[in-house]
Amino acid sequence: MNLRRYLSTLTLWILILCPARLSAQQLIEAEGTVRDSLTGEALPYVSVFLNGTTIGVITDENGHFSLTAHSDSTVLGIKYLGYEDCFISLKAGEINHVTVLLHPVAYELDDIVVRPQKEKYARKNPAVDFVKNVIERRRSNDPRNHDYYSYQTYEQKSFAQNDFNAGALKSNRFLRRMDFLLEYVDTSVVTGKPILPLFNEEIIENTYYRKSPKSEKSVIEGFNRAGLVEIISEDGMTQLLEEVFREVDIFQDNIPLFLQRFVSPLSSFGPGFYKYYILDTLEVGGEQCLDLAFVPFNSESFGFTGHMFVSLDSTFFVKKVKLNIPRDINLNFVSYMSIEQDFARTADNTRLVTKNDIVAELKILEKQSGLYARRLRLYRNHSFEPPDDMNVFRQDAPVVELEEARKQPEIYWHERRIKEKDIKETSVDNMMVRLRKIPAFYWSEKVVGALINGYVQTSDVNSPFEFGPANTLVSGNMLEGTRFRLGGTTTVNLSKRFFADGYVAYGTGDRKFKYDAILEYSFNDKKSFRKEYPFHYLRAEYKYDINQIGQHYMYTNPDNIFMMPKRRRNDLITYMQTAELGYYREHYNGWGYGVTARHLTEWATKYVPFTKILPDGTATPESLYRSTQLEFKVRWAPNEKFYQSRNYRYPITLDAPVVTLNHVISRRGILGSDFNYNRTDIGIRKRFWMSPFGYVDIYAQGGKVWDRVPYPLLVIPNANLSYSIEPESYTLMNPMEFINDRYASWEVTYFMNGMIFNRLPLVKYLQLREVVAFRGWYGELSDKNNPSKNGAGLYQFPANSYLMNEGPYMELSFGLDNILKIMRLDYVWRLSYKNHPHAPNSGLRMKMEFSF
C-alpha cells in the first residue's frame, strides 16, 4: 500500500469520526469513476464522501465507487492527495451517475510554479525542460552498453473470460451442466473483477547479450502451457501474441504494441506529441522522485497517458513508469490497458528492468464481458559477466528451447513462479477435461478448430491424419463447372519428419479428375505441422490440375469457395501437369535458399488456344508444350514476423525488408523441353512507420525473360478478379490483358490510422481510418517475343491481350478502414488504358479483417 493510499484512508477515517449534523434525511445514491483530468487514468483509493457527514467510501483499483445512504447532504466530496478537492451536487431519490475529473494541484520546483491547466498549456515550460533532460540521458544507462549482459525472466501470459457472470450458469438451463466452472473462477489482482481462466502460459528464460560481435540469445529452460490451445496454431499464435503484447521499451522513439506503433513519452519528438506536467515529489524505491504526468495533444492518436517517476538528481534516472491508453484512442477491441514497469539501478547507474506488467481488457462488442489478458515478466539474476558457456552465442536460433523445458516437474514451477497469481494455472487442464466431456462443448470446439485451422482431425487424441482444407471442398469455374475436392495431410503424430499431403478433385463440367501428391522429408523435427518455420526439406510433388493464367493466389487456395464470386468470366484456364523435386532451407538469420527441378506440360483449351505461327506466316493449333526447368531461389527476411498456419504465412510486421531473388533456366531438348528459357525476378517489401501519422507499405518487383519463347512462358501481371482486396495484384486489370518479357511493378499503400478523421468533429467517433494506395506495372515486349514481328515459332496472343506502349498501367484507390472495426472498403480508379474493352475503369472492393 503506497503513501497516497494511507493518507486517503486516514482522511476517510477523520471524516467518519467527525460528528454529523442531524436533520431530515433522504435517500442519496451515487456511483461512478474518479479519473485524472490530465491523463484520464483511473485513480484508486480516493476518498468519496457526502460533504458534512461521516458517510464515505474509497474507490477501488479501477477508480470506481458506489455510495448509498440516507442523509440530508446532497453534495458529494472527493479528496485525494496531490489533487484539488472536488464537490458535486447530487439529486436525491435517484441514482446519480458521475465521472469525476480531479485536477492536479500546483507544486513548486526550483521556485517555479507550474499550474497544469489544459486550456493554457505552453510548449515551453519547466516540465518540458525536465523531460528533455531525461530524453538526453536515455541511452547512457542502457545495460547493453556493457560488453556482456545476462538475466533470467519469469513470464506469465494469462487469458480469461472477463467479468465472469456466475449467475448465468445457474439461471440458464443450457449452462447448468457447466456449473462446475464456478470452482475455477478467480479474481483478478489487477482489476478486481471475477475471471474464468481459459489459457495460461509460463516460461522461464535466460537471456545472454554480447556487445561485440553483437549477439543476443535466449534459452528456455521451463515451458508450461494449459487451456484452450488445441484449436489454434500454437507456435503461430505464440508469435502473434509476442507481437501484440510486445515488451515495452519506453526508451525508444516508437513502442510496438497491438501491431501498431505508439509514440513513447521519451521519444526524441515527444515534446511535440505530448503535454507534460509536474505533479508531485514522492519516494519510490527509497529515492526522492518527481511525478511527471503526460498526455497526447490529440487524445485519438497512438500515444499514452500516464506517469513517470524520475529521480531528483543529476542522473534523471527513471524509477517507475505507468502507462495507459487514452480514452478516445482509435484502437479496436481494447477497452482498458495498463502497463507498469519498475527499474533498479546499479552503482554505476546502469538501468535494470525488474518488472514489466501489461494488462488489457479486450472486447469485440461493447456489451460483452470480453477477454482479460495479462503478460507479466519479472527479471532477476542480472549480470554483466560473460556466460559460463560461450557456446550459447553459436546457436543458430535466437531462442533455443531445451528438451526438458516442457517436462519440468511441478516442484520446479513451485520454486520459481510468482506467489501472487491471476490464474489457477494447475487447474486449467483439469477444467478443460471436464468441459470436453460435455457433448455440446466437445463438438463446438471441434467445429471451431476446423474453421480456424481448415482441417478436420480423424481421432480425438494425436490424430495421425487430417482432412482438408475445408474451404476447398466445393468450388467452381468456367472450365470445370462445379468442382469437388477431397484432400488431407499426415501430421506430426505419425512422423515428425516424413509427411504426405495431397488431394483428388473432379469437375462436373469437364468430367476430369485432377490430383496432387506430395512426399516430403524434413531435416528438422516439426512440432505441430509440416510447413512450420523454419523450412529445411526435400520434397517431391506430382500434380495435374487447372492453371488460371494471369491469376496468382498469395495467401489462399485457387479453389477457395470464398473466392468464387468474380467481377467477370473466369475462362482463361489451361491444364497443367508438373513433376517437381525440390530442396529448400531457411536460417534464423533471415536467409533462405533452395533449388527445384521441374518438368511441366501445359495443354491448351478452347478458352486458351496455343496457335503456333509457322515460318510462312500461317498458323496451326498446338495441343501442348513442355518445359524442363531448374529454379533457384534466394530470400532474405531478417527479423520477419508472421502468423504461420498449416499452409500459409501471413505477415505480421514488415519492419525489416523482405528481399526475394528467383531465376529459372531451361534448355531445349533436355527431357523433352521445347524451348530455351531464362527468367529472373527480384522483389522487395518494406514497411515504413511514420509515427504518429500511420505507416506506409511498399512492394516493388522487377524481372525479365531473356529468351524467345511463346506467351505462356512470358510475364503476365497478376489480375484480381474477385471483389476482395488482395495484395500484390491489380484490381481492375483483366487476366492476360498485358503480356511482357520485362517489367517493373510497384504498390504503395499508406495506412493513415485516422490522421484526418480523428480531428473531425462527430466523424472521429466512428473511428474510421484512411487508406490510400497507388499501384502500377510498367512492362515492355521486345520484338523477338512479339508474334506480330517475325513470329515464327511463337504462339498468337489471345484476344484482348495488348502491348504496353502507352506508359505504365496504374491504379489509385482511397479506402475507409475499420468500418464497424472489421471491414475495409476501397474505391479504385483505373488511371491508364481506360479504352480497353471489357475492362472496368473503377470499382468498389472490400476486405474483412480484424485489426487493432
Side-chain angles (χ1 to χ4, degrees):
M1 188 179 294
N2 59 29
L3 179 61
R4 287 187 178 179
R5 183 173 179 180
Y6 274 120
L7 293 175
S8 300
T9 306
L10 178 61
T11 304
L12 180 60
W13 279 109
I14 293 174
L15 292 169
I16 292 175
L17 295 176
C18 290
R21 181 169 57 88
L22 297 176
S23 62
Q25 295 183 337
Q26 50 199 333
L27 181 63
I28 304 296
E29 294 182 90
E31 66 88 22
T33 304
V34 180
R35 295 183 177 274
D36 185 311
S37 65
L38 300 176
T39 68
E41 85 176 291
L43 298 177
Y45 317 122
V46 178
S47 299
V48 181
F49 56 93
L50 291 176
N51 191 39
T53 75
T54 61
I55 302 170
V57 294
I58 295 177
T59 61
D60 61 18
E61 290 86 350
N62 298 312
H64 185 264
F65 71 90
S66 179
L67 186 151
T68 302
H70 289 275
S71 173
D72 63 330
S73 175
T74 58
V75 177
L76 190 71
I78 302 95
K79 290 180 178 287
Y80 196 42
L81 179 66
Y83 293 83
E84 297 176 358
D85 295 348
C86 180
F87 297 93
I88 299 175
S89 296
L90 304 176
K91 293 182 179 180
E94 63 181 71
I95 299 177
N96 295 267
H97 300 280
V98 296
T99 298
V100 182
L101 301 178
L102 292 186
H103 296 273
V105 299
Y107 283 91
E108 294 188 1
L109 182 67
D110 297 333
D111 298 324
I112 299 175
V113 178
V114 181
R115 298 184 181 277
Q117 297 178 1
K118 181 178 179 181
E119 66 277 5
K120 295 182 180 179
Y121 184 84
R123 291 180 182 268
K124 292 185 178 181
N125 64 63
V128 174
D129 294 338
F130 187 86
V131 80
K132 285 182 177 179
N133 280 303
V134 182
I135 294 172
E136 280 181 16
R137 292 162 175 79
R138 62 181 182 170
R139 308 290 188 204
S140 62
N141 51 16
D142 191 330
R144 285 169 175 77
N145 290 334
H146 291 258
D147 291 335
Y148 293 93
Y149 176 45
S150 63
Y151 57 90
Q152 185 182 82
T153 56
Y154 168 83
E155 178 179 300
Q156 181 193 75
K157 292 190 190 80
S158 305
F159 293 87
Q161 182 180 341
N162 196 33
D163 204 9
F164 182 73
N165 184 3
L169 290 178
K170 300 176 181 179
S171 59
N172 191 316
R173 63 188 182 92
F174 296 104
L175 300 178
R176 286 174 186 170
R177 295 190 61 186
M178 300 184 186
D179 58 359
F180 61 84
L181 292 177
L182 297 175
E183 302 172 22
Y184 303 94
V185 175
D186 206 346
T187 302
S188 166
V189 298
V190 179
T191 65
K193 296 179 180 179
I195 55 177
L196 178 68
L198 301 175
F199 172 86
N200 188 77
E201 180 180 278
E202 295 176 290
I203 297 176
I204 303 289
E205 186 176 49
N206 295 296
T207 300
Y208 304 92
Y209 170 80
R210 181 180 64 193
K211 186 176 182 181
S212 181
K214 188 174 182 180
S215 179
E216 186 161 339
K217 304 292 183 180
S218 295
V219 179
I220 297 176
E221 67 173 55
F223 188 101
N224 186 23
R225 178 184 281 165
L228 279 172
V229 297
E230 296 184 5
I231 64 173
I232 59 175
S233 163
E234 290 192 40
D235 292 327
M237 184 59 68
T238 295
Q239 184 148 221
L240 177 63
L241 294 176
E242 287 291 330
E243 284 299 305
V244 172
F245 294 102
R246 284 276 289 270
E247 184 174 4
V248 172
D249 183 359
I250 65 165
F251 302 95
Q252 302 292 327
D253 283 341
N254 296 306
I255 297 176
L257 201 63
F258 297 111
L259 305 182
Q260 300 287 349
R261 291 298 183 271
F262 288 71
V263 177
S264 168
L266 291 181
S267 169
S268 56
F269 49 87
F273 184 85
Y274 284 99
K275 301 177 184 179
Y276 298 94
Y277 303 99
I278 294 173
L279 297 185
D280 198 355
T281 56
L282 68 164
E283 187 174 293
V284 178
E287 293 189 46
Q288 282 295 115
C289 294
L290 180 72
D291 182 358
L292 188 70
F294 45 88
V295 59
F297 279 98
N298 187 332
S299 61
E300 290 86 11
S301 57
F302 284 89
F304 298 100
T305 67
H307 295 261
M308 188 185 313
F309 303 91
V310 185
S311 64
L312 285 171
D313 58 25
S314 60
T315 64
F316 293 90
F317 188 90
V318 178
K319 291 285 293 182
K320 190 180 187 71
V321 176
K322 293 182 178 180
L323 305 174
N324 301 278
I325 56 172
R327 287 171 295 168
D328 300 325
I329 191 172
N330 191 343
L331 186 68
N332 292 333
F333 313 122
V334 183
S335 59
Y336 166 82
M337 186 196 72
S338 70
I339 302 173
E340 185 172 325
Q341 291 186 322
D342 294 340
F343 302 93
R345 69 163 108 188
T346 64
D348 65 352
N349 289 316
T350 297
R351 177 179 67 247
L352 302 178
V353 59
T354 59
K355 177 183 177 182
N356 186 20
D357 194 2
I358 302 178
V359 177
E361 293 184 350
L362 310 174
K363 293 183 179 181
I364 296 179
L365 299 176
E366 189 60 34
K367 294 184 179 181
Q368 288 183 331
S369 57
L371 183 70
Y372 166 89
R374 185 183 188 188
R375 181 185 182 183
L376 173 64
R377 298 194 84 185
L378 298 179
Y379 303 75
R380 50 203 175 196
N381 301 334
H382 299 270
S383 173
F384 299 112
E385 298 296 325
D388 294 335
D389 184 6
M390 294 293 289
N391 288 325
V392 68
F393 295 114
R394 296 192 179 99
Q395 297 288 340
D396 188 27
V399 179
V400 177
E401 183 178 317
L402 300 181
E403 286 188 17
E404 65 271 18
R406 302 186 185 226
K407 304 174 185 177
Q408 298 289 4
E410 181 57 33
I411 186 65
Y412 170 90
W413 293 105
H414 180 73
E415 292 174 351
R416 289 165 176 80
R417 69 163 58 110
I418 57 174
K419 305 303 179 184
E420 180 183 348
K421 299 178 292 183
D422 268 7
I423 303 292
K424 299 175 181 177
E425 296 89 353
T426 55
S427 65
V428 177
D429 268 343
N430 179 262
M431 180 185 73
M432 298 307 302
V433 170
R434 297 174 70 178
L435 276 172
R436 288 174 181 136
K437 292 181 179 179
I438 301 174
F441 180 87
Y442 173 84
W443 288 110
S444 296
E445 186 181 26
K446 292 294 183 184
V447 171
V448 172
L451 291 175
I452 294 176
N453 295 319
Y455 285 81
V456 179
Q457 297 180 352
T458 54
S459 62
D460 291 341
V461 181
N462 300 327
S463 176
F465 183 84
E466 296 178 343
F467 288 103
N471 59 10
T472 62
L473 289 175
V474 181
S475 60
N477 55 73
M478 291 292 296
L479 183 62
E480 294 182 285
T482 303
R483 173 185 170 105
F484 298 94
R485 169 173 155 174
L486 181 63
T489 180
T490 62
T491 73
V492 294
N493 299 312
L494 184 64
S495 173
K496 295 183 180 296
R497 294 204 172 191
F498 287 97
F499 297 92
D501 195 311
Y503 64 82
V504 175
Y506 180 78
T508 59
D510 63 356
R511 299 183 180 181
K512 289 187 176 183
F513 281 98
K514 295 87 182 177
Y515 48 82
D516 186 19
I518 297 174
L519 293 176
E520 180 176 303
Y521 174 75
S522 173
F523 292 92
N524 51 292
D525 290 344
K526 299 297 184 179
K527 296 178 182 177
S528 302
F529 43 82
R530 175 172 66 91
K531 290 188 177 181
E532 69 187 20
Y533 179 83
F535 288 160
H536 187 197
Y537 61 73
L538 183 66
R539 177 190 299 166
E541 180 176 10
Y542 191 72
K543 179 179 180 180
Y544 172 71
D545 209 332
I546 64 170
N547 176 36
Q548 302 181 52
I549 300 181
Q551 297 182 71
H552 311 290
Y553 296 87
M554 307 297 297
Y555 302 109
T556 187
N557 307 90
D559 49 357
N560 186 339
I561 188 173
F562 300 108
M563 301 294 288
M564 285 183 61
K566 306 289 184 181
R567 58 177 170 84
R568 55 151 287 172
R569 291 177 55 184
N570 180 27
D571 58 3
L572 297 175
I573 305 173
T574 62
Y575 294 105
M576 181 177 286
Q577 183 183 73
T578 57
E580 293 185 349
L581 180 64
Y583 171 83
Y584 192 77
R585 184 173 187 181
E586 291 177 325
H587 293 275
Y588 288 102
N589 60 11
W591 284 102
Y593 48 84
V595 59
T596 300
R598 176 186 305 113
H599 183 274
L600 68 85
T601 304
E602 186 167 13
W603 285 269
T605 64
K606 62 181 179 180
Y607 300 112
V608 185
F610 295 164
T611 306
K612 186 176 181 179
I613 302 174
L614 301 177
D616 61 2
T618 61
T620 182
E622 292 276 304
S623 61
L624 59 88
Y625 75 90
R626 296 183 178 91
S627 180
T628 302
Q629 303 173 351
L630 198 61
E631 180 177 8
F632 301 92
K633 300 179 181 179
V634 178
R635 188 174 188 269
W636 184 56
N639 302 313
E640 183 182 25
K641 303 293 183 182
F642 49 81
Y643 173 75
Q644 175 76 67
S645 70
R646 275 172 165 75
N647 287 315
Y648 296 96
R649 291 179 180 177
Y650 302 93
I652 297 175
T653 66
L654 296 171
D655 295 354
V658 177
V659 182
T660 57
L661 175 63
N662 283 31
H663 183 76
V664 180
I665 183 172
S666 176
R667 305 309 297 172
R668 184 174 182 175
I670 297 179
L671 297 178
S673 186
D674 293 325
F675 310 102
N676 291 329
Y677 181 57
N678 282 273
R679 173 173 172 171
T680 305
D681 296 272
I682 184 170
I684 183 171
R685 291 187 299 167
K686 179 75 172 72
R687 175 168 294 172
F688 295 90
W689 289 94
M690 304 177 65
S691 297
F693 306 114
Y695 58 92
V696 177
D697 282 348
I698 294 179
Y699 173 73
Q701 190 174 25
K704 181 175 180 177
V705 175
W706 303 87
D707 300 281
R708 189 172 188 267
V709 291
Y711 74 81
L713 293 173
L714 293 178
V715 182
I716 301 173
N718 186 14
N720 177 17
L721 292 185
S722 74
Y723 292 98
S724 173
I725 300 169
E726 297 296 329
E728 302 175 30
S729 65
Y730 296 91
T731 304
L732 303 176
M733 184 187 291
N734 287 334
M736 300 183 67
E737 185 174 349
F738 300 101
I739 301 176
N740 313 115
D741 58 10
R742 52 187 179 269
Y743 73 99
S745 66
W746 68 89
E747 181 174 348
V748 180
T749 308
Y750 182 17
F751 297 86
M752 302 172 69
N753 277 356
M755 183 179 68
I756 299 174
F757 293 148
N758 286 346
R759 289 164 172 78
L760 299 179
L762 300 180
V763 175
K764 66 182 182 180
Y765 296 109
L766 299 176
Q767 294 191 316
L768 299 175
R769 302 171 186 171
E770 316 86 345
V771 182
V772 180
F774 176 58
R775 62 187 68 89
W777 176 286
Y778 184 67
E780 293 180 341
L781 184 70
S782 60
D783 290 347
K784 66 183 178 183
N785 282 315
N786 189 340
S788 64
K789 297 181 179 181
N790 188 26
L794 300 180
Y795 296 166
Q796 291 180 351
F797 282 0
N800 299 319
S801 291
Y802 303 89
L803 300 180
M804 193 169 282
N805 51 16
E806 299 176 9
Y809 172 88
M810 296 177 291
E811 293 178 354
L812 177 67
S813 66
F814 179 80
L816 296 180
D817 197 6
N818 206 41
I819 301 172
L820 302 177
K821 299 184 178 182
I822 60 170
M823 185 185 299
R824 171 182 162 188
L825 285 179
D826 280 15
Y827 198 83
V828 190
W829 292 271
R830 181 172 171 139
L831 303 181
S832 56
Y833 299 96
K834 301 173 69 173
N835 59 340
H836 287 183
H838 312 297
N841 290 327
S842 62
L844 186 67
R845 300 295 182 265
M846 67 169 292
K847 186 176 185 179
M848 304 290 287
E849 61 182 353
F850 284 86
S851 64
F852 289 99

